[in-house]
Amino acid sequence: MKKWGLAAVLILMIGTAVFLLSKPADTKIDKLVLTGSSTIAPLAAEIGKRFESLHSNVRVDVQTGGSSRGVSDAKAGLADIGMASRALKDDEKDLHSFTIALDGISMILNRANAVAALDKQQITAIYTGKITNWKDVGGNDAPITVVNKAEGRSTLELFLHYFGLKNTDVKPHVIIGDNQQGIKTVAGNPDAIGYVSVGAAEYEASQGAAIKLLPLDGIVASVATVRDRSFPLSRPLNLLTRNGPTGLAKAFIEFATSPQVHDLIEAEYFVPVQH
Amino acid sequence: MSKNALATGLICLVAVLVTSVFFWLLTDLVIHGLPRLSGPFFVEASQNAGRSGGIGPIIVSTALILLVAIVTSAPLGLATAVLLSEFTRPGSLFGRLVRRSLDVLAGVPSIVFGLFGNAFFCIYLGLGFSILSGGLTLACMVLPLLIRTAEQGLQVAPNDYRLAAAALGMSRSAALTHLLLPAAMPALVAALLLAIGRAGAETAALVFTSGYVDRMPDSLLDSGRALSVHIYDLSMNVAGGDANASAAALVLIGLLLIINTIAMSLAKQWRIATP
């Protein structure tokens, strides 16, 4: 019994060594490394798979870590291409950025809520706790449940920036992580208000989720208004390079900004950009 | 009498509560994940960011990461445990120093190991995002656990064994291989099990080392997504990924249970084979 165990361990170790050394050396494989925003990562991985199927001997490796990581890795040259789910800040303008898709952020209410629209002041007042009942903004006599995003989400950053708020000003009742959780929370509570990605909300509403999208500054929240850039609360999903892209990185960026990947972008509930 | 009954009742209640938490969790996973489990799920590659398709490459990557971690940490861990328990005087400065630093290392959060692994294995040693980097990082992470459990196992072996071996003129290494290690075998296997369990459930340390790529790995130098990373991404980052996340979680629990059972039965047989 003991001998068998030893033999098994030996075989495993030899197998590992063989596997380690068996990397095919005859075929030259070009590797493209992307790091950054976890929002873009699933989309970039899908685009990468399609890119690989068109170019043999190319591998696209996508790694996550957040938009800031995408920016710093692109700057330091640790990644061929960085990913950031926001526009570049002023001190990052030395990088080249390429927008592959847009993502809008929409205020959502439960479908049963009588309120049809809220202006900027009303939303600010609701999120800072100055208005706590729906009857103050033309709805039923019911307390408002404020749903906010968790710290560190770029959706939160964008929301706060647009409404000129600090996160410490916000008086939330529920704190959520991702879009799906936000949609489920508002769909299950007739008095809740929240904000999520437009594409995901529109898709879920069309699938029968009990939510409705509120217009912002009088502009309907939809994929269409995000696409024509009239919707005010949206962000670009960017690919970043240190210098002007060359070679494989250039080919990949051209592919990722071409109509050949629009179906992949829509499958992730983002909005393709017309170039 | 009634006091006794009360105490028994309370203890039973606590036991039921603890197990019911486990069964609640398991039931939830089974309800959401079982419909997705099928033969092809275990072998196919994931599609559409993991919403559809299977987890074949991810299982392979996970197994390779665990293999690297165990193959590198087990000999080191066993040797250190033997050194601490058999070849250092109890209470010596060296032994105290090693034990104290191991205990400190055991309390370090796994994300710190992840950042260390990224800086040391991926960047400094140039291994990049790879299964090798991930496995070595996990090896560092489980070493303290492995050493301390194995050391306790060795110390449990009765001192009579050592004295009798010395009286018979056996060398220390002979006493070790023929008496002490067989006697401590169940504890050593338990240590290995704990290490595999800890490594298999690890997410934070792997995101930055073995990475996010869900392709079938060709060698240990390829990036490979671990099951736990896949589950985290599907449930937190991908809209509509919940069902496959539950299915993948079921697979992870199943794998750990199988490893557990095999190791336990091995330990039992070893013990019977060596009187």
Side-chain angles (χ1 to χ4, degrees):
Chain A
M1 202 57 225
K2 216 169 166 184
K3 275 181 185 155
W4 281 110
L6 266 175
V9 170
L10 267 180
I11 289 171
L12 273 181
M13 288 174 89
I14 292 168
T16 314
V18 169
F19 187 83
L20 177 67
L21 299 170
S22 71
K23 199 172 169 72
D26 48 332
T27 53
K28 190 172 160 8
I29 287 175
D30 287 317
K31 207 168 176 184
L32 195 68
V33 177
L34 283 77
T35 66
S37 162
S38 59
T39 308
I40 308 178
L43 172 62
E46 286 303 310
I47 294 177
K49 277 180 194 165
R50 187 170 287 178
F51 189 73
E52 282 171 3
S53 71
L54 296 172
H55 301 75
S56 53
N57 296 339
V58 169
R59 314 199 102 192
V60 181
D61 280 7
V62 178
Q63 309 292 353
T64 61
S67 295
S68 329
R69 188 190 181 91
V71 170
S72 63
D73 280 2
K75 259 187 188 169
L78 286 173
D80 300 304
I81 300 174
M83 304 178 286
S85 54
R86 54 170 169 78
L88 287 178
K89 293 174 184 164
D90 284 337
D91 58 340
E92 300 162 354
K93 293 286 187 198
D94 51 327
L95 291 168
H96 296 252
S97 80
F98 305 88
T99 304
I100 55 171
L102 295 173
D103 183 24
I105 294 165
S106 164
M107 305 301 304
I108 54 171
L109 299 181
N110 190 284
R111 195 182 286 159
N113 200 316
V115 175
L118 291 169
D119 63 29
K120 220 170 158 173
Q121 283 73 32
Q122 286 171 322
I123 293 173
T124 311
I126 287 172
Y127 268 81
T128 49
K130 294 193 183 76
I131 296 177
T132 55
N133 197 304
W134 283 114
K135 70 176 192 293
D136 296 333
V137 288
N140 304 325
D141 183 7
I144 300 174
T145 304
V146 174
V147 181
N148 200 28
K149 279 260 182 176
E151 196 87 48
R153 300 264 165 179
S154 48
T155 329
L156 171 75
E157 237 174 78
L158 213 66
F159 170 83
L160 295 176
H161 176 75
Y162 180 75
F163 288 100
L165 293 169
K166 283 199 302 255
N167 201 22
T168 43
D169 301 333
V170 176
K171 306 270 181 289
H173 300 106
V174 182
I175 292 180
I176 55 150
D178 62 345
N179 282 320
Q180 289 309 105
Q181 199 184 352
I183 290 168
K184 282 171 195 158
T185 306
V186 175
N189 182 344
D191 304 317
I193 179 168
Y195 55 93
V196 295
S197 167
V198 167
E202 204 175 51
Y203 169 79
E204 288 290 337
S206 74
Q207 294 296 304
I211 56 165
K212 61 179 176 188
L213 286 74
L214 282 187
L216 207 59
D217 295 346
I219 294 160
V220 179
S222 72
V223 168
T225 54
V226 173
R227 182 179 290 130
D228 65 24
R229 306 206 185 200
S230 60
F231 189 71
L233 191 46
S234 75
R235 57 174 174 176
L237 306 184
N238 285 330
L239 298 182
L240 314 170
T241 57
R242 181 162 51 163
N243 305 312
T246 52
L248 198 57
K250 183 166 185 253
F252 182 81
I253 289 172
E254 274 167 7
F255 181 71
T257 50
S258 74
Q260 295 174 70
V261 297
H262 281 185
D263 58 322
L264 297 177
I265 292 171
E266 276 157 7
E268 301 297 326
Y269 312 117
F270 298 132
V271 180
V273 206
Q274 307 297 333
H275 286 270
Chain B
M1 190 61 211
S2 68
K3 241 182 192 170
N4 264 344
L6 191 71
T8 319
L10 270 179
I11 290 167
C12 280
L13 189 72
V14 170
V16 167
L17 271 177
V18 169
T19 40
S20 65
V21 167
F22 171 68
F23 278 105
W24 181 16
L25 204 144
L26 199 63
T27 317
D28 194 58
L29 284 181
V30 167
I31 289 173
H32 292 108
L34 202 60
R36 291 297 181 103
L37 278 187
S38 61
F41 186 75
F42 288 90
V43 288
E44 276 174 9
S46 73
Q47 285 161 14
N48 194 8
R51 292 183 191 90
S52 51
I55 53 169
I58 290 155
I59 293 180
V60 173
S61 299
T62 311
L64 287 173
I65 292 168
L66 284 182
L67 197 68
V68 170
I70 295 307
V71 164
T72 46
S73 65
L76 269 178
L78 185 63
T80 316
V82 168
L83 174 80
L84 282 178
S85 116
E86 305 301 323
F87 293 93
T88 44
R89 275 173 224 291
S92 73
L93 183 68
F94 173 72
R96 282 216 313 267
L97 206 69
V98 173
R99 285 192 187 95
R100 182 61 55 82
S101 44
L102 284 176
D103 287 345
V104 169
L105 215 54
V108 171
S110 57
I111 184 71
V112 177
F113 279 101
L115 294 175
F116 161 76
N118 182 263
F120 185 66
F121 296 119
C122 299
I123 297 172
Y124 185 73
L125 293 186
L127 297 175
F129 283 97
S130 65
I131 288 172
L132 199 56
S133 301
L136 292 175
T137 307
L138 285 191
C140 296
M141 203 185 81
V142 298
L143 260 180
L145 186 77
L146 201 60
I147 295 170
R148 292 297 261 159
T149 326
E151 188 205 345
Q152 274 156 22
L154 281 167
Q155 277 171 351
V156 166
N159 220 17
D160 292 350
Y161 284 23
R162 297 180 184 90
L163 294 176
L168 289 169
M170 279 171 90
S171 71
R172 285 178 98 176
S173 59
L176 193 69
T177 47
H178 292 292
L179 278 174
L180 298 173
L181 283 182
M185 192 50 81
L188 299 183
V189 173
L192 207 60
L193 271 182
L194 281 172
I196 294 177
R198 174 98 196 263
E202 189 45 51
T203 312
L206 290 178
V207 174
F208 298 131
T209 52
S210 66
Y212 186 77
V213 174
D214 60 358
R215 191 192 304 118
M216 183 65 88
D218 279 342
S219 84
L220 292 185
L221 293 174
D222 278 344
S223 169
R225 196 190 288 193
L227 258 176
S228 49
V229 175
H230 189 60
I231 295 165
Y232 176 77
D233 190 57
L234 278 185
S235 59
M236 286 297 159
N237 197 29
V238 173
D242 285 341
N244 268 4
S246 303
L250 270 183
V251 173
L252 182 60
I253 290 178
L255 280 180
L256 290 178
L257 273 180
I258 290 170
I259 293 172
N260 222 313
T261 320
I262 292 174
M264 281 301 186
S265 66
L266 271 182
K268 222 183 224 166
Q269 273 170 342
W270 257 316
R271 185 116 124 176
I272 292 163
T274 52

